[in-house]
Amino acid sequence: MLSNHQNKGLLFIVSAPSGAGKTSLIRELMKTRDDLQLSISHTTRKSRREEKHGVDYFFISQKLFLEMENNGEFIETATVFGNKYGTNKQIIEKTLDSGQSMVLDIDWQGARKLKKSSYCSVSIFILPPSLKTLNERLQKRGDHPDDIKGRMQKAIQEISHYHEYDYVITNELFVDSLKIINAIITASFYRLDLQKDKFNRLVSEIIENE
């Protein structure tokens, strides 16, 4: 139960094609804000060498994922390159009920589901400056040529859903993009449509104290 002065947190959905700089932006964002938590997704894909269980993802088996999905433990799921990803409902709801807000790094499929749900959310899509730049970034990252081809094809599909988001950022300069995301998040805490209960309580207290 929330106290009289505590409002629920917001969900900030961030999506982008692979290589657009989303992960780097989110990591830097989390260093600068103590009012946000990063949602860690469950996935059936194998961990990369630099990734840690419980930090980057919860790496679980296909069997366990399906069990959790059948039990209704995810608020959204998606399949990407044959691997399943899911956002844990209990963790999200516990965090939001505490008044803390969360950042979700999910694709357009998950974003669409959450936008239709009862959660108060703000969605941000990050575009690369061009497909050429995106391809160059994937090459510099050291991705296998076959993987790059698949990711470029998926990038076009991802980008086609940009209009479903509340905000769109073109990530040309990292520093500028980080400032814009920070501004969007800060402004969202003052949007009446997202914080109606909070401001209703505040206005009632102001009037009562007159």
Side-chain angles (χ1 to χ4, degrees), residues 27 45-53 55-57 59 141-143:
R27 283 176 179 168
R45 80 161 170 79
K46 301 294 183 183
S47 63
R48 299 183 182 126
R49 184 166 49 187
E50 72 279 6
E51 292 177 328
K52 295 181 180 178
H53 178 78
V55 176
D56 298 286
Y57 290 95
F59 297 98
R141 202 167 71 175
D143 287 11

Side-chain angles (χ1 to χ4, degrees), residues 24-79:
S24 297
L25 284 168
I26 290 176
R27 283 176 179 168
E28 195 61 32
L29 177 72
M30 301 310 294
K31 293 178 184 178
T32 61
R33 305 195 69 117
D34 58 7
D35 54 353
L36 298 175
Q37 285 190 30
L38 179 62
S39 171
I40 302 173
S41 298
H42 287 67
T43 182
T44 60
R45 80 161 170 79
K46 301 294 183 183
S47 63
R48 299 183 182 126
R49 184 166 49 187
E50 72 279 6
E51 292 177 328
K52 295 181 180 178
H53 178 78
V55 176
D56 298 286
Y57 290 95
F58 292 110
F59 297 98
I60 61 175
S61 67
Q62 184 91 4
K63 180 182 178 182
L64 179 55
F65 190 99
L66 291 175
E67 287 177 0
M68 293 177 70
E69 188 173 24
N70 290 334
N71 290 333
E73 295 181 42
F74 296 124
I75 59 173
E76 63 83 28
T77 61
T79 301

Side-chain angles (χ1 to χ4, degrees), residues 7-196:
N7 56 296
K8 280 194 174 186
L10 300 178
L11 282 181
F12 292 96
I13 301 166
V14 184
S15 304
S18 181
K22 171 185 62 176
T23 302
S24 297
L25 284 168
I26 290 176
R27 283 176 179 168
E28 195 61 32
L29 177 72
M30 301 310 294
K31 293 178 184 178
T32 61
R33 305 195 69 117
D34 58 7
D35 54 353
L36 298 175
Q37 285 190 30
L38 179 62
S39 171
I40 302 173
S41 298
H42 287 67
T43 182
T44 60
R45 80 161 170 79
K46 301 294 183 183
S47 63
R48 299 183 182 126
R49 184 166 49 187
E50 72 279 6
E51 292 177 328
K52 295 181 180 178
H53 178 78
V55 176
D56 298 286
Y57 290 95
F58 292 110
F59 297 98
I60 61 175
S61 67
Q62 184 91 4
K63 180 182 178 182
L64 179 55
F65 190 99
L66 291 175
E67 287 177 0
M68 293 177 70
E69 188 173 24
N70 290 334
N71 290 333
E73 295 181 42
F74 296 124
I75 59 173
E76 63 83 28
T77 61
T79 301
V80 182
F81 296 120
N83 299 305
K84 289 186 172 293
Y85 295 80
T87 303
N88 185 276
K89 183 188 296 183
Q90 185 177 21
I91 294 174
I92 296 294
E93 291 184 348
K94 183 178 180 181
T95 303
L96 297 182
D97 285 345
S98 73
Q100 190 81 352
S101 294
M102 295 198 83
V103 175
L104 272 64
D105 176 355
I106 56 178
D107 74 351
W108 68 269
Q109 300 172 77
R112 178 181 284 181
K113 290 176 185 175
L114 284 175
K115 293 296 285 183
K116 293 178 179 179
S117 71
S118 60
Y119 297 97
C120 289
S121 65
V122 177
S123 57
I124 304 167
F125 193 88
I126 300 171
L127 285 169
S130 67
L131 288 178
K132 181 182 176 182
T133 301
L134 187 67
N135 191 293
E136 290 172 352
R137 288 176 180 174
L138 291 172
Q139 290 181 25
K140 288 179 181 178
R141 202 167 71 175
D143 287 11
H144 190 277
D146 290 340
D147 290 336
I148 292 176
K149 183 179 179 180
R151 292 185 188 283
M152 289 301 296
Q153 291 174 343
K154 188 172 187 301
I156 295 172
Q157 182 190 35
E158 285 272 354
I159 291 170
S160 70
H161 292 276
Y162 80 94
H163 57 87
E164 298 179 21
Y165 288 73
D166 298 317
Y167 298 93
V168 180
I169 300 169
T170 302
N171 186 22
E172 296 187 63
L173 293 176
F174 183 87
V175 175
D176 290 345
S177 297
L178 185 62
K179 287 179 180 178
I180 294 169
I181 292 176
N182 257 312
I184 290 170
I185 290 173
T186 299
S188 295
F189 289 123
Y190 297 91
R191 276 177 52 178
L192 181 58
D193 60 325
L194 296 177
Q195 302 280 24
K196 189 172 291 185

Side-chain angles (χ1 to χ4, degrees), residues 194-206:
L194 296 177
Q195 302 280 24
K196 189 172 291 185
D197 290 343
K198 170 187 173 182
F199 290 116
N200 281 344
R201 289 196 301 269
L202 178 60
V203 170
S204 294
E205 290 176 359
I206 292 173

